[in-house]
Amino acid sequence: MTENSQQPQSEPTPELPTQYAPADVEGALYERWVERGYFAADAKSDKPAYTIVIPPPNVTGSLHLGHAFQHTLMDALTRRKRMQGYESLWLPGMDHAGIATQNVVERELGKEGKSRHDLGREAFVERVWQWKEEYGGKILGQMRRLGDGVDWSRERFTMDEGLSQAVQTIFKKLYDDELIYRAERIINWCPRCLTAISDIEVEYQDDDGELVSMKYGEGDDTIVVATTRAETMLGDTAVAVHPDDERYRHLVGRRIKLPLTNRTIPVVADTHVDPEFGTGAVKVTPAHDPNDFAIGQRHDLESLTVMDERGVITVHGPFEGLDRFEARSAIVAALRAEGRIVAEKRPYVHSVGHCSRCKTTLEPRLSMQWWVKVGPLAEAAGDAVRDGRVSIHPADMSKRYFDWVDNMHDWCISRQLWWGHRIPVWYGPEGEVVCVGPDEEPPGTEAEGWKQDPDVLDTWFSSGLWPFSTLGWPERTPDLEKFYSTDVLLTGHDIIFFWVARMMMFGLYAMDGEVPFKTIALTGLVRDQFGKKMSKSSGTAVDPLDWMNAYGSDAVRFTLARGANPGTDVPIGEDWVQASRNFANKIWNATRFALMNGATVEGPLPDPSEMTATDRWILSRLNKTVAEVDAFYDDFQFAKLSDALYHFAWDEVFDWYVELSKTTFMAGGEPAKVSGRVLGEVLDVTLRLLHPIVPFVTETLWTTLTGGESVVIAEWPTDSGFRDAGAEREIETLQQVITEVRRFRADQGLQPGQRVPARLTLDGTALAPHEAAIRQLLRLQPEGEAFAATATLPVAGATVALDLSGTIDVVAERKRLAKDLAAAEKEKAQANAKLGNEAFLAKAPDQVVDKIRTRLAKADEDIARIQAQLERLPEA
């Protein structure tokens, strides 16, 4: 805990309204923070740097709960570090999102009856830039609404001039180092987007298809193969069998007739074939299947492409011009007519790859593309985690990371789009291939026969440079010197493969082995309150702006942070946001009460000898909370630190300390002044601890309490080391007495505000100084001359005798409790009967038996509770 970090007051301290209205303060506060430059980082500062670069949202995007979730956590980290004295940089920006953005603009053109080809490449790209300026970046305004403390002066875009130079530079460097090459391979092709996509952008789902078994060859040369994609048989160039499969040994090396065509194809022996699966024979279509392509390479087979880029059949007259799915049915019908179909299974549920952008069924396609040779890059990315230069939180997520980087295939980086970073390679009239760097001129003009490669780079290629390109690389800028390596990459575990591994590979390569970030903190995904994926189609998707409008940004932020356990999904429901709104209101109301009752931050804290046990207890608990919160932050345990702050603020400060201190404040004098200073200190520190998670309400309250300029630039609390175990035990005993008597009062049906005569026997206990507080909190009035103890409660060495004769109808209460006792005993008997029935236990599911055991335990608890209540009641 620090000494009060109050700064000189620069303007009159405002009065707090009776109610907190987030909409009245959030927007103005945020703009004031930005105007005063609180979030701007200084590369020339002597302070230690702390850097987080934002996972760049798509320019087409808007703020969804996943963004709000991760932004809340990143904001909390950077706000805390700023308060701890770091030069804290949270760098914002957006991704050009190649396929997604091009699709949006093409749809807009479609409404005008045009396609991109009607405009031509240059005009279309200009149209996309216009769209980006007009509609893109909606999410940036929403980030301000959430309270993101980003340095807007450093905002970047993956296609701005500096990042474009970085992309061209690293492409040239990789090309010169023979880590980029061009080759014809099988890729995932989207017939809708008309581009290749990488393996990690494929979404697999179980589709209802068909499995067709068909005969190839004639007579003794007959062989049966099965497929879910009958249309590709037009491109078969072999049948493969296992070399040890005796059934087909006589066919290996021979040629057999391929149905519906005028071709014959060889039977080859390949160890890839599983002789135990199906017939043990597989059709080989090298141009339309990655495994078949590998077999074709090993056996020098021809690769026949039978579909165009839109999935339309291009060969064999009867089927030419048919869509791939139309051709499938037509080919099966033709084979059936020839008696070639052996078996058909429909539906046949199997896993099928779909485009993650447009959900179209993908087509494996042989295509000339550009590739990154990832072997050495991926090895370096794995080593950086293994040797401890980069840590992953939670640690058990490391396995997923290694599974990917240790088994990574070469990366297809070319995309058949117009929006994006164009590949900086020119082809000459004599077959020349020239890669051009950012400061180099193309080798020739179109008139001279030179043409630039028409493809653009995968979006993840440019976003893989994000941690260093945004800081000025390839120039050795002051920003790069100060803020690289970045400290934390906080992102969802679902993009380890898309983005995290790419940044690790490129960062280590471009920055001479210097890691792009020291820690990878992986979060889960936001789910609905039942743990299911949110979706628009099911009506469970939530616009966080709706919740922010209804309950305030702090309420949304606190709800998200309180659910953030490392690496696990975050369920969230509107009632939880309402509860967080109630917490913000509780902070507001408690601070107003404190200010009206003398809470102050003026002057040093009094000596502990001048304090009450209650004062020393809350300061001891405060310091423990500071230490606990710091430990949770360092371990990225946002849920635990939020929970610790919630319970400390609500339970210990507001519900106990404030209530216990009311008698001191009412009595006045020096003890009230001491407690007022302690209360001021506790609120000051608590508001600073809460600020990174709930910045708006804490800013308003802290500046009112302290007169300081802003809690954004206040000092982060530190643990002073003050502990008072004796005071903690004393107040815990006091809490035990109050809690037990409150429970008894509730059991007897007394209203919370109903006063009851009582005799307190506290002599010889540490509770004697607290009699006034006990009577105040328990609504116990002094005993009168006619006092008669009708119930006696011995608790923690003290005795509380109550006179209930004028407050409850003992006869009616005994009758009610007797009825409840009979019901509980009946429930216990029924549960015992079922659990004692061996036949029932043998047949009942485990969850049913567990439920009955739970009912039995609950019945036992009820019986014990009711019997205790009856014993405490006076005789009728």
Side-chain angles (χ1 to χ4, degrees), residues 63-193:
L63 191 75
H64 56 66
L65 274 177
H67 287 125
F69 169 55
Q70 292 181 356
H71 287 204
T72 294
L73 306 187
M74 286 183 278
D75 195 30
L77 291 172
T78 48
R79 283 179 183 269
R80 172 177 174 257
K81 285 295 183 180
R82 188 177 294 112
M83 295 172 76
Q84 287 181 317
Y86 285 79
E87 198 61 41
S88 190
L89 169 62
W90 185 19
L91 191 147
M94 293 181 295
D95 194 298
H96 67 279
I99 295 177
T101 306
Q102 180 158 320
N103 281 348
V104 168
V105 178
E106 286 197 77
R107 283 197 296 271
E108 293 297 311
L109 283 175
K111 295 175 184 177
E112 303 170 14
K114 297 178 181 178
S115 74
R116 60 179 162 126
H117 299 285
D118 294 323
L119 271 67
R121 183 166 192 147
E122 286 189 18
F124 175 77
V125 171
E126 179 60 31
R127 180 71 174 262
V128 182
W129 275 107
Q130 291 172 5
W131 182 92
K132 184 260 181 187
E133 294 304 318
E134 187 172 355
Y135 299 106
K138 176 183 178 183
I139 196 170
L140 299 179
Q142 296 169 325
M143 287 165 58
R144 302 172 87 93
R145 180 65 191 282
L146 187 65
D148 285 5
V150 296
D151 184 346
W152 292 110
S153 69
R154 286 180 165 86
E155 181 189 337
R156 303 304 300 268
F157 179 54
T158 51
M159 284 184 62
D160 68 29
E161 184 177 350
L163 269 65
S164 295
Q165 183 183 30
V167 168
Q168 199 170 349
T169 299
I170 201 162
F171 188 100
K172 171 72 170 173
K173 179 174 170 60
L174 288 163
Y175 182 87
D176 290 346
D177 288 346
E178 299 184 349
L179 292 172
I180 280 183
Y181 62 94
R182 191 168 183 246
E184 194 174 41
R185 300 273 181 84
I186 292 286
I187 47 89
N188 303 296
W189 181 265
C190 178
R192 159 62 184 79
C193 298

Side-chain angles (χ1 to χ4, degrees), residues 723-734:
R723 300 289 190 274
D724 193 324
E728 290 199 40
R729 286 193 300 271
E730 184 174 327
I731 302 306
E732 285 169 9
T733 302
L734 176 60

Side-chain angles (χ1 to χ4, degrees), residues 290-561:
N291 293 321
D292 293 2
F293 178 78
I295 293 174
Q297 293 281 294
R298 288 193 289 271
H299 297 276
D300 198 23
L301 299 175
E302 185 180 6
S303 295
L304 297 178
T305 300
V306 298
M307 281 179 240
D308 68 11
E309 60 184 10
R310 298 183 184 275
V312 174
I313 301 298
T314 58
V315 299
H316 199 66
F319 311 109
E320 189 172 355
L322 294 180
D323 172 81
R324 54 186 167 155
F325 300 119
E326 297 172 334
R328 181 176 300 173
S329 299
I331 287 170
V332 171
L335 290 169
R336 190 183 299 114
E338 288 190 5
R340 294 278 180 177
I341 300 298
V342 176
E344 297 177 71
K345 185 176 182 181
R346 296 188 185 89
Y348 179 73
V349 179
H350 62 131
S351 182
V352 177
H354 295 258
C355 175
S356 62
R357 307 292 182 186
C358 68
K359 313 308 176 186
T360 299
T361 300
L362 296 173
E363 193 64 40
R365 175 180 171 87
L366 185 62
S367 180
M368 182 68 77
Q369 301 286 344
W370 285 94
W371 305 80
V372 171
K373 186 185 296 183
V374 299
L377 303 175
E379 182 180 4
D383 289 345
V385 175
R386 287 189 171 94
D387 64 24
R389 282 176 289 156
V390 177
S391 62
I392 294 179
H393 287 264
D396 57 9
M397 284 285 178
S398 298
K399 183 180 184 302
R400 295 185 64 180
Y401 176 80
F402 291 130
D403 284 346
W404 181 249
V405 297
D406 292 347
N407 300 285
M408 193 181 295
H409 301 296
D410 282 2
W411 173 19
C412 176
I413 56 170
S414 44
R415 298 290 180 268
Q416 289 64 55
L417 304 171
W418 288 354
W419 172 246
H421 294 281
R422 194 161 175 183
I423 289 175
V425 172
W426 270 255
Y427 305 110
E430 304 300 325
E432 302 97 328
V433 179
V434 178
C435 180
V436 176
D439 300 320
E440 300 172 351
E441 293 294 326
T445 66
E446 285 200 19
E448 297 168 334
W450 287 88
K451 291 186 178 180
Q452 186 177 359
D453 194 298
D455 292 350
V456 300
L457 289 163
D458 178 12
T459 296
W460 297 104
F461 188 95
S462 51
S463 60
L465 316 182
W466 191 250
F468 52 95
S469 64
T470 52
L471 296 173
W473 187 90
E475 300 299 322
R476 202 74 194 183
T477 63
D479 274 4
L480 195 65
E481 294 286 351
K482 178 73 175 180
F483 297 111
Y484 190 91
S485 296
T486 69
D487 288 86
V488 177
L489 171 71
L490 190 144
T491 190
H493 62 66
D494 57 323
I495 60 170
I496 291 177
F497 321 127
F498 291 89
W499 191 45
V500 178
R502 310 297 195 207
M503 287 188 290
M504 284 286 282
M505 291 192 302
F506 281 168
L508 290 161
Y509 173 75
M511 297 299 293
D512 300 321
E514 197 174 355
V515 297
F517 25 75
K518 302 176 185 74
T519 300
I520 302 169
L522 297 171
T523 70
L525 308 179
V526 177
R527 304 287 188 181
D528 68 16
Q529 58 187 320
F530 305 108
K532 295 180 180 178
K533 183 178 180 180
M534 288 185 173
S535 69
K536 292 181 181 178
S537 60
S538 64
T540 58
V542 173
D543 183 344
L545 288 177
D546 291 341
W547 281 353
M548 285 189 271
N549 290 335
Y551 307 111
S553 298
D554 284 333
V556 175
R557 290 170 61 113
F558 192 74
T559 304
L560 291 166

